[in-house]
């Protein structure tokens, strides 16, 4: 149970840092603000969050540096792609699969 909690906290911090990295920041409050603002369009926010989680999980499973994962260096680019897909395309199964990939 302790290992699961540690992994969830790691993924949460990596996700927040990915939002902050969009503006080259490390401020957690700013990251939470960006997370909230991204959900002004619910589909864009959801697809951005899914893309970050997927990128960070794949990077972790492939053995990439945990420092850079936690720093948000691997997740911020996928956030931008996920937000863009969520803004320009209607929700659907095909688009959801595209966001995950």
């Amino acid at each position: 149970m302790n290992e699961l909690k540690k992994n969830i906290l790691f993924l949460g911090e990596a996700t927040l840092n990915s939002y902050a990295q969009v503006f080259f920041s490390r401020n957690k409050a700013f990251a939470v603000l960006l997370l909230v603002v991204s959900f002004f369009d619910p589909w864009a926010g959801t697809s951005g969050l899914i893309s970050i989680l997927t990128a960070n999980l794949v990077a972790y499973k492939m053995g990439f540096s945990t420092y850079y994962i936690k720093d948000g260096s691997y997740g911020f680019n996928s956030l931008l792609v996920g937000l863009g897909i969520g803004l320009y395309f209607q929700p659907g199964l095909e688009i959801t699969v595209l966001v995950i990939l």
Side-chain angles (χ1 to χ4, degrees):
M1 183 66 175
N2 193 20
E3 186 70 26
L4 177 64
K5 184 177 178 181
K6 180 181 163 186
N7 288 338
I8 290 172
L9 290 174
F10 173 79
L11 187 60
E13 189 168 355
T15 301
L16 280 181
N17 286 335
S18 296
Y19 276 94
Q21 280 287 346
V22 172
F23 288 98
F24 308 106
S25 174
R26 290 200 168 102
N27 189 324
K28 296 284 191 273
F30 185 57
V32 170
L33 177 68
L34 290 174
L35 175 67
V36 170
V37 167
S38 74
F39 276 92
F40 283 178
D41 183 331
W43 173 240
T46 302
S47 61
L49 186 60
I50 289 170
S51 64
I52 286 177
L53 293 173
T54 303
N56 287 334
L57 286 171
V58 168
Y60 182 77
K61 288 294 183 185
M62 291 181 71
F64 287 20
S65 169
T66 56
Y67 174 80
Y68 291 116
I69 296 170
K70 193 173 184 178
D71 186 49
S73 298
Y74 295 132
F76 81 94
N77 202 11
S78 65
L79 168 64
L80 295 175
V81 172
L83 287 173
I85 289 172
L87 284 172
Y88 288 107
F89 296 101
Q90 293 296 319
L93 179 62
E94 299 87 2
I95 299 302
T96 304
V97 170
L98 180 65
V99 167
I100 291 171
L101 293 177

